Amino acid sequence: MGRSLALLPFALLIAANPDVAGAGPGEAWALATRAEVAAPDGIAFTTVLVSLPDGTALLEQFHPEGDTRLLVDGGGRVFAGDGEGTWHSAEPEMADYVHGHDALRLFREAASEGRDPGTLVRPLPPALGGGEVRLTFAAPVPVLGHDLPTAAVFHHEGQAWRYRYTEVLPFVPAPGAPLPAAPAALAARLRDLAEIARVHARGLAAHRQGDLAMLLADEAPRGLVSGRGRLRETTSAETGAALGPYLATTTFARYEDVVPPRITVAADGSLAWLACEIEAEGVQEGPDGSAPLTFGYSWVELLARDGARWVRVGNAASARP
């Protein structure tokens, strides 16, 4: 494992309840997170985690001294990857290690149980060093009606590992295609789910920022649109021509999900669909001046793999009455 001492404090969430995001009111979330980490030895590295409500999780850490890839399936089996697509069985206690990096689930679990999540103390399993880890959170931002931190510090034996979250993407795995059993295929599926969540998040951000180029970057050259009882084929150029003036004259104060988007990927990994419900508020400029703009929308979009990325190829949408 190499840098185990550097990463040890994060192995604190025992797998007694991997679905901590679902504890308390509301539905269980899957989470895709990315964090930039400052270790006490001065080395910086990146941690990427995709975790599902059933305990399935993929942890990938990109470190100057060597990368770490660990996978836990829904049955609790643990695998280590070599970065070349080969996975082999790993020690069972490494499931605790992977789940221990799911800090935002731990935070939400404490909040849902009425405990103060600002500072949490958890035992470290003896197999991973023992002792206690104190975890503090900071810099909360609203995410689907919850204030989730974007910074966390893990304190262990006088040392601190500082996480700065640059990506917090909740979603819900939708029905349609079961997860593959083979570890290489499962890891690829989890990466795909996270990337589709990113595509969706970029689309929302493009609206808030009025950035047409950002929005069109994830569009296929040709696609289908369904709405108001009609189906038509369109191109990304036509989409840009229609949306450009709209974005140029609209300033959104809010354009966001009100429920986690639902995502599923086809068994062969070539197609996927995402369903969402958003609400928006802003101001739109017109010939007679500015006017407030408020609406709700839901849509289902089809995505296709284009090499290493996912692009939108179809959309069916409806406005809230």
Side-chain angles (χ1 to χ4, degrees), residues 20-132:
V20 295
E27 65 187 331
W29 293 354
L31 279 171
T33 62
R34 181 186 299 269
E36 302 304 322
V37 184
D41 57 7
I43 295 178
F45 59 94
T46 301
T47 291
V48 178
L49 177 69
V50 187
S51 64
L52 305 187
D54 68 353
T56 300
L58 173 66
L59 172 68
E60 297 184 283
Q61 293 181 315
F62 305 100
H63 193 285
E65 297 180 357
D67 299 339
T68 298
R69 293 174 175 85
L70 291 168
L71 174 71
V72 182
D73 69 11
R77 297 181 303 167
V78 188
F79 303 91
D82 62 1
E84 303 295 329
T86 299
W87 295 82
H88 58 83
S89 296
E91 298 86 349
E93 60 265 25
M94 296 311 294
D96 294 339
Y97 181 88
V98 173
H99 290 136
H101 287 73
D102 218 347
L104 299 189
R105 287 186 184 272
L106 182 61
F107 177 92
R108 193 176 174 209
E109 177 190 40
S112 70
E113 293 177 353
R115 294 182 284 120
D116 179 9
T119 300
L120 302 176
V121 178
R122 286 290 186 272
L124 198 65
L128 296 172
E132 288 187 337

Side-chain angles (χ1 to χ4, degrees), residues 1-285:
M1 285 295 296
R3 312 162 329 276
S4 58
L5 288 179
L7 305 182
L8 188 61
F10 296 93
L12 71 137
L13 179 55
I14 311 304
N17 180 13
D19 184 18
V20 295
E27 65 187 331
W29 293 354
L31 279 171
T33 62
R34 181 186 299 269
E36 302 304 322
V37 184
D41 57 7
I43 295 178
F45 59 94
T46 301
T47 291
V48 178
L49 177 69
V50 187
S51 64
L52 305 187
D54 68 353
T56 300
L58 173 66
L59 172 68
E60 297 184 283
Q61 293 181 315
F62 305 100
H63 193 285
E65 297 180 357
D67 299 339
T68 298
R69 293 174 175 85
L70 291 168
L71 174 71
V72 182
D73 69 11
R77 297 181 303 167
V78 188
F79 303 91
D82 62 1
E84 303 295 329
T86 299
W87 295 82
H88 58 83
S89 296
E91 298 86 349
E93 60 265 25
M94 296 311 294
D96 294 339
Y97 181 88
V98 173
H99 290 136
H101 287 73
D102 218 347
L104 299 189
R105 287 186 184 272
L106 182 61
F107 177 92
R108 193 176 174 209
E109 177 190 40
S112 70
E113 293 177 353
R115 294 182 284 120
D116 179 9
T119 300
L120 302 176
V121 178
R122 286 290 186 272
L124 198 65
L128 296 172
E132 288 187 337
V133 175
R134 182 168 57 89
L135 176 57
T136 58
F137 297 96
V141 298
V143 178
L144 292 172
H146 301 260
D147 286 334
L148 293 185
T150 56
V153 183
F154 290 77
H155 308 266
H156 182 257
E157 296 184 348
Q159 296 183 310
W161 286 255
R162 303 180 185 278
Y163 267 38
R164 180 177 62 86
Y165 289 94
T166 59
E167 183 175 272
V168 179
L169 301 174
F171 65 95
V172 172
L179 294 174
L186 177 58
R189 178 66 50 81
L190 293 175
R191 293 190 191 104
D192 283 339
L193 289 168
E195 182 55 33
I196 292 165
R198 291 186 192 103
V199 169
H200 176 66
R202 284 196 296 268
L204 302 188
H207 281 80
R208 292 192 298 268
Q209 298 170 22
D211 191 332
L212 181 62
M214 182 179 180
L215 185 62
L216 295 180
D218 293 314
E219 294 284 332
R222 304 189 69 85
L224 292 173
V225 174
S226 174
R228 301 182 183 276
R230 294 187 180 277
L231 178 67
R232 61 185 176 87
E233 187 172 334
T234 188
T235 66
S236 58
E238 291 169 342
T239 300
L243 289 180
Y246 170 68
L247 291 178
T249 58
T250 306
T251 301
F252 285 106
R254 179 173 175 243
Y255 196 102
E256 62 190 16
D257 289 311
V258 293
V259 297
R262 272 61 172 169
I263 306 173
T264 197
V265 179
D268 67 356
S270 65
L271 291 171
W273 63 261
L274 177 146
C276 68
E277 181 182 347
I278 68 102
E279 290 180 351
E281 297 177 5
V283 175
Q284 189 168 45
E285 301 296 331

Side-chain angles (χ1 to χ4, degrees), residues 256 258 277-281 294-299 318-321:
E256 62 190 16
V258 293
E277 181 182 347
I278 68 102
E279 290 180 351
E281 297 177 5
T294 303
F295 60 84
Y297 237 87
S298 178
W299 66 80
S318 61
R320 186 182 299 166

